[in-house]
Amino acid sequence: MAPQYAPSLRSRLAPLLLFLQIGFIVIYAFYVEIEGNVRDRDGDTFSNFYPEFQDVNVMVILGFGFLWTFLVRYGFSGTGFNLLVAVVATQWAVILNGIDSWYYRGKIMINLRSLVDAEMCAASALISIGVVLGKTNPVHLVLMALLEVSGFVLNEWLLHTLLKVSPLKNMRLHIFGAIFGLMVTWILHWNGSQKQFEKEKFGRKTGLFSMLGTIFLWMFWPSFNSVLVDGHTPGRKLGAVCSTYLALAVSAVTAVALSVLSSPKGKVSLIHIQSCILAGGVAVGVSISGVHQPWEAMTIGFTAAVVSTIGFRYLKNHMLLAFQCHDTCAILSTHGLPGLLGWLAQLLLQIRDCDDHTMAIQFAVFHICTVLFTVSLSLAMGVITGLLLKWNIWRPPQDRKCFDDQAFWEFPHLAVRK
């Protein structure tokens, strides 16, 4: 007999989703308009920007969705809850990103670029939920996404207001999302997480679907890194695409080699490859403004793959034993460490290219303050979110029902027939 549905799906999830969606509809009805100009203020036309929007959309929905299917009994939840969180977070991010427009113009104007901005915020939330995947219910994930997007947008506003800097979203989303998720899982801390959960297993078929998600992410990551780059400066977008591709290519080769070297049997680990071949794209995306030569991107991709693969092999277990921090998808190794590496690479490259020592010192100070501010806010928001989600009112799943689709999804072939 299949386990009964989690109570949150009946008494908590449906009211929460209906309340949010009706609220979004009301806000959009009164305060949101589609920008009517064929060419928006950044000079982007529909025909030349729509492919980039679709690339980001494929990454957020298909890429992350299939990537989360590696757990043998959590494929429905991995893809389904990914879509749910992505669309809720995107609608919420459109509103938060448009507050300035509403304040000065009375309306939130949306176009393809604002949708891409919102999906970038949603991607940061998806990175965060990868840390707690399988150990939470959908109510947890939706609330976590709303708070994470709020913190991410607040971080951008504070950086722009206090430090007068406006770093690209893809410079901050990996670091913010990874640290936020780690703090949430650390605060929640499941009693059974000192060892591997009973159903936290990797399967052959689910591994194949998960690899498909990795391929989608790998293919479209150049668009993800270049979509928000200033297209008015000649060669900027092309440089971002080429640098990202080269970094991804190098990280793929390096990840395979290190996976073989770190394996006791000298074999390639598919679960390592799924995440570590993306490390180069993460690192070079954070440092994209400082990368000007192909070898620089390739070096960053190589170093990111080394850090990510070694971290994936050893760091996850040590984090669990030392800090009781259970990272389901090893987000720290996939996004956190490569993101910090990219930040360091950008700092070194920008200082190297700066002829004025005063300007170099000023950039270094602001760059360090930016990452410290981002890390501090993500830590604080992660703690607040973890404490909120720790309430039993959300009905967290029992240890024996973690990583199990049957707690949340209907399976007709398991239904009890009267």
Side-chain angles (χ1 to χ4, degrees):
M1 181 176 177
Q4 295 297 315
Y5 300 140
S8 60
L9 287 181
R10 294 173 176 167
S11 60
R12 288 160 178 78
L13 181 62
L16 173 65
L17 294 180
L18 291 175
F19 172 77
L20 286 174
Q21 194 55 72
I22 293 173
F24 289 158
I25 291 174
V26 171
I27 293 173
Y28 278 63
F30 287 98
Y31 300 109
V32 179
E33 286 185 1
I34 298 175
E35 196 160 14
N37 296 330
V38 176
R39 183 181 294 271
D40 66 21
R41 64 182 181 276
D42 295 312
D44 297 311
T45 61
F46 176 86
S47 59
N48 64 24
F49 198 76
Y50 184 73
E52 295 181 312
F53 162 74
Q54 278 292 68
D55 289 351
V56 175
N57 207 27
V58 167
M59 285 188 65
V60 170
I61 305 301
L62 286 180
F64 283 104
F66 280 115
L67 184 64
W68 301 149
T69 61
F70 68 95
L71 295 165
V72 69
R73 300 185 64 175
Y74 207 68
F76 281 26
S77 301
T79 54
F81 295 159
N82 177 83
L83 175 61
L84 175 64
V85 169
V87 294
V88 170
T90 300
Q91 292 179 78
W92 180 232
V94 168
I95 296 172
L96 295 181
N97 286 332
I99 288 179
D100 282 346
S101 175
W102 169 79
Y103 181 78
Y104 291 107
R105 302 168 63 179
K107 289 287 184 178
I108 298 174
M109 308 302 295
I110 63 172
N111 51 33
L112 286 180
R113 180 167 288 273
S114 62
L115 289 180
V116 168
D117 282 335
E119 286 205 313
M120 289 284 190
C121 298
S124 182
L126 296 178
I127 291 171
S128 298
I129 70 171
V131 181
V132 299
L133 195 70
K135 302 166 294 187
T136 50
N137 62 35
V139 177
H140 287 132
L141 298 181
V142 171
L143 293 174
M144 185 174 171
L146 293 174
L147 291 168
E148 202 276 349
V149 169
S150 301
F152 186 76
V153 175
L154 176 63
N155 179 58
E156 182 177 17
W157 181 80
L158 290 174
L159 289 176
H160 181 72
T161 303
L162 299 179
L163 298 182
K164 307 299 182 182
V165 295
S166 299
L168 291 176
K169 279 185 170 60
N170 52 2
M171 176 184 173
R172 295 176 291 108
L173 67 89
H174 303 286
I175 298 174
F176 193 98
I179 296 177
F180 179 92
L182 289 170
M183 293 308 299
V184 171
T185 194
W186 179 64
I187 293 295
L188 293 179
H189 175 57
W190 289 261
N191 292 328
S193 63
Q194 288 88 349
K195 57 183 182 301
Q196 189 178 38
F197 284 90
E198 177 186 358
K199 299 173 183 176
E200 188 185 0
K201 298 177 181 178
F202 177 81
R204 294 178 62 184
K205 292 183 179 179
T206 57
L208 181 61
F209 279 106
S210 184
M211 192 63 194
L212 180 62
T214 301
I215 292 173
F216 275 119
L217 291 172
W218 199 95
M219 289 175 60
F220 293 107
W221 210 287
S223 296
F224 190 76
N225 282 347
S226 66
V227 67
L228 296 182
V229 171
D230 180 18
H232 299 293
T233 304
R236 283 291 304 279
K237 277 187 176 291
L238 178 61
V241 170
C242 293
S243 297
T244 303
Y245 180 84
L246 291 172
L248 286 167
V250 172
S251 65
V253 175
T254 308
V256 172
L258 290 178
S259 180
V260 172
L261 290 174
S262 61
S263 172
K265 297 182 179 180
K267 295 183 178 181
V268 180
S269 172
L270 181 62
I271 196 169
H272 288 179
I273 302 306
Q274 288 172 350
S275 299
C276 299
I277 66 174
L278 302 174
V282 173
V284 83
V286 176
S287 59
I288 199 69
S289 61
V291 177
H292 303 294
Q293 299 295 330
W295 69 268
E296 296 172 349
M298 297 171 76
T299 302
I300 292 173
F302 178 86
T303 310
V306 172
V307 171
S308 180
T309 308
I310 295 176
F312 202 105
R313 174 68 77 175
Y314 304 108
L315 190 58
K316 180 177 179 179
N317 292 333
H318 284 83
M319 289 284 292
L320 183 57
L321 294 173
F323 303 104
Q324 298 179 338
C325 184
H326 184 276
D327 185 356
T328 301
C329 301
I331 295 298
L332 177 62
S333 301
T334 307
H335 295 274
L337 295 181
L340 292 173
L341 174 67
W343 168 84
L344 179 61
Q346 185 191 24
L347 175 64
L348 297 177
L349 290 172
Q350 292 281 22
I351 291 177
R352 183 203 63 182
D353 295 336
C354 189
D355 297 329
D356 189 341
H357 294 294
T358 303
M359 292 296 294
I361 294 174
Q362 183 179 5
F363 171 81
V365 170
F366 276 89
H367 196 60
I368 293 172
C369 290
T370 298
V371 74
L372 290 178
F373 202 93
T374 299
V375 170
S376 300
L377 187 59
S378 61
L379 288 171
M381 289 297 298
V383 170
I384 293 171
T385 304
L387 293 174
L388 175 63
L389 298 186
K390 203 174 179 66
W391 294 353
N392 288 329
I393 189 177
W394 311 122
R395 298 291 179 88
Q398 301 172 357
D399 290 346
R400 61 188 178 85
K401 291 187 178 181
C402 288
F403 303 98
D404 194 339
D405 283 330
Q406 291 187 34
F408 309 111
W409 297 85
E410 289 187 8
F411 288 84
H413 67 287
L414 295 177
V416 177
R417 302 184 186 278
K418 296 182 179 180

